[in-house]
Amino acid sequence: MAGVKRKEYPQIGGRARETAKKVKSEPRKKVRSITPPSELEAQTDSDPIVESDTTEHSGDDDGVSWPSDDQEDVDPVIKDGARDVDNGTESSKNSKSLGKVTGPGSGSNGSHNPTASKEAHAKQKAVAQERKAAKPNADSIARAKKLWERLRIQSKVPLEERKQLIAELFDIITGRVKDFVLKHDSGRVIQTALKYGNLDQRKMIARELKGEYRGLAESRYAKFMIGKLLVHGDDEIRDLVIPEFYGHVRRMIKHPEAAWILDDVYRGAATPKQKAILLREWYGAEFAIFRSEKDYNPQSDVKVILTENPEKRAPIMRSLFELINQLVQKKTIAFSMLHDAMLQYYLNVVPGSEEATEFVELLKGDEEGDLLKNLAFTKSGSRLVSLALAYSSAKDRKLLLKTYKNTIETLAFDTHGHKVLLAAYDVIDDTVLTAKSIFSEFPTKELKQSESEQHADLLTYITSLNARIPILYPFVNKPSSILPAEDIALLKEIHNIRSTTSKKDPDIRRKELVKALSPNYLSYIANNAEALVQNSFGCHFVSEVLLSAEGDKSEALEAIANMAGSDWKISGYIQTPAASRMLKSLALGGRFNPKTKTIDLADPPLKFNDMLYEKLGSHIVEWMTDANAFVIVGLLESVDFSHKAELKALIRKHRKELQKAIDETEELVKGGKAKEEKVMEAGKKGTRLLLKMVEQ
């Protein structure tokens, strides 16, 4: 039977190949349209049908080419089936031939054949299994993986069974650890063996891998083995692993895989001596090659090295900067070792020199600010950023601070990040800039949030060991009350630099910062007095803010006095040592000056003593014999207390009750019946002091 050819489908005509190429160059249509039968008949009636000269068995292609998979979407009529365009009848020959377009896995009618697909997948799986079986140690790895599948379900494996499985697993891997560790699947088996094995078994694995640790660190999968060894191992295993990195630090720190494990080892596992040896290799090839094993006290401080060998300054500084610059340009900037090296470089450049300027430009050159952000969260990095702020010009300080936009909260809660904020407080003369850049990201009224949300957020700052520091630092008179020794040393260093780089007086700068923060803090105390006194950090916050803040403090003081005079005995919050210290400080109206041995009163005076005395009313006698007896002592010691004579007369009137309370407290403490002996003892001392004061 002669073939049928339509002019509408030129790919079956004489110029099929040329047309097929044009079809491939056109973009494929995402939505396929199927022509309705009625429209199809209308189209075919208008198109003349030309009978070709070819025959089914001629063997001559005559330019006919079947459309590829990419061409199937071009002609939905052919894709839809082998419908004969002549009067809607089906031609068995066309159906047989056009059915080839549907591709493999299809039957004679173009439908999918699931049996053929399953057979193909089964064959592929069989080939994959044969390839695995042909690899070395295939049987051992397969057995080990079955044991691993059982062991890794930690909660469902009894202890005795786990011991048996581990013993069997070590029988398999002993002597073959190197073969197992470099594969991603069997490497996990070794990691599980390290996790559940005993110390001797772990040491066996470590000894088998001796001499291979640098190669393992550079492996995509085996590098995790080193981490497991150091986490679950002891000092002997650590001393087997780390020395194999000596002499290769510069190469490893630039390696995409080894750099991470090297930094983890440096940061978390290495001893101070090992850290010094590793860091010294940044200073040049000399420190990697000529390394004395007898040197038990290697020095990584560049300043000390240059003091002993000043002629080595140029090569050391050049080597340091080149390696630092390479890592910065590659964006591998999160390494603690890199931050330590950068700090060593910056500490040994002359401020204002070309080296210092070039280094600061390197810090500012990162458009995304990732370098400065990463630096702020490590010990050396935060010190580096703080020193850069101290030495920089006003313009550079603004650029450096701008980098931390939307990161202030994270800095405040971080162990090292909050130091950057303290440095900014102390060196930036433009306090308006500080308020906009830093305080605007603290919970304040300007934030678009409800009052309750704002106060809840502020409470998390106040009660956090780290975040309370930048919140409270401008208010405190004695920074050592909230700062650790490390922070104090850094601020002392910054203050020495500030004397030559900042123009504004430190006291004026601090007062301007306090003025910016005061309104929100005073409002918070007025609305959340009870929540604050439940925590010792909250009590400290109340006393420092009320003694140093600027503005109207009456509502905040009234809230504290009302709380103290109302349900103090029911809640018990006000009877804690922290609350007692807070109330005494407010009653005194200022801070104790150790030089003059007097109280430096707040300006303007708080007059909290008179307010508290009125609120206590008839409860004041109970306070004299309770844990808050020292608060009453504070009222008597206060310089501007208006009811001092009245209070003394009241104490004399109740002298017998006070003495009886002292005797009862002593008996309770001696008998061990007092729930809080320290609190009771403190109350007894305060009551005795009251009796002594009225006798004078």
Side-chain angles (χ1 to χ4, degrees), residues 84-302:
D84 193 342
V85 297
D86 187 13
N87 297 324
T89 61
E90 292 187 1
S91 171
S92 60
K93 184 63 64 177
N94 286 343
S95 176
K96 182 178 180 181
S97 58
L98 292 175
K100 297 178 182 178
V101 180
T102 58
S106 301
S108 60
N109 60 351
S111 61
H112 180 69
N113 187 350
T115 306
S117 178
K118 288 182 180 179
E119 290 176 356
H121 284 298
K123 289 180 180 180
Q124 291 175 357
K125 192 173 182 180
V127 171
Q129 292 293 340
E130 290 176 4
R131 288 175 180 172
K132 284 185 179 180
K135 293 180 180 180
N137 300 311
D139 294 339
S140 300
I141 291 175
R143 275 184 60 206
K145 285 171 67 176
K146 288 181 180 179
L147 295 173
W148 170 72
E149 285 289 345
R150 179 65 177 153
L151 280 167
R152 70 192 185 102
I153 309 175
Q154 183 176 359
S155 60
K156 297 183 180 179
V157 181
L159 180 61
E160 292 301 323
E161 183 183 351
R162 181 181 296 119
K163 289 181 180 179
Q164 294 177 1
L165 293 173
I166 286 293
E168 185 178 352
L169 180 60
F170 271 92
D171 289 341
I172 296 172
I173 67 175
T174 301
R176 304 172 181 171
V177 175
K178 292 182 183 179
D179 299 329
F180 275 66
V181 78
L182 291 173
K183 297 180 177 65
H184 73 93
D185 50 356
S186 57
R188 293 178 183 178
V189 174
I190 304 299
Q191 292 179 41
T192 303
L194 282 169
K195 182 178 180 180
Y196 295 116
N198 57 41
L199 185 58
D200 291 335
Q201 290 171 328
R202 293 167 183 163
K203 287 181 179 179
M204 180 275 293
I205 294 176
R207 293 190 190 101
E208 280 201 30
L209 295 174
K210 186 177 181 181
E212 303 291 336
Y213 289 112
R214 183 171 66 86
L216 296 179
E218 295 176 354
S219 170
R220 183 177 180 182
Y221 303 108
K223 65 180 180 182
F224 300 110
M225 175 64 59
I226 297 176
K228 285 285 186 180
L229 271 172
L230 294 173
V231 168
H232 297 293
D234 60 356
D235 293 349
E236 181 183 342
I237 294 176
R238 179 198 64 204
D239 294 338
L240 276 173
V241 175
I242 297 179
E244 293 196 16
F245 298 158
Y246 295 166
H248 308 284
V249 171
R250 293 179 69 89
R251 178 176 182 271
M252 292 179 69
I253 199 63
K254 293 183 284 187
H255 192 279
E257 305 295 342
W260 295 100
I261 194 65
L262 174 65
D263 191 68
D264 287 344
V265 168
Y266 176 84
R267 184 181 66 252
T271 64
K273 175 188 173 182
Q274 291 169 337
K275 290 179 70 173
I277 294 174
L278 293 172
L279 187 59
R280 280 165 63 94
E281 295 192 25
W282 287 62
Y283 306 158
E286 173 188 350
F287 296 90
I289 298 172
F290 302 104
R291 176 173 43 82
S292 174
E293 298 295 341
K294 297 180 180 179
D295 185 9
Y296 292 103
N297 294 301
Q299 184 57 253
S300 62
D301 190 340
V302 173

Side-chain angles (χ1 to χ4, degrees), residues 331 333 363-373 402-405 407:
K331 299 291 184 180
I333 49 181
L363 296 178
K364 298 189 301 180
D366 186 4
E367 295 180 359
E368 293 82 10
D370 293 337
L371 176 59
L372 283 168
K373 289 175 183 177
K402 186 179 179 181
T403 304
Y404 295 105
K405 185 178 181 180
T407 317

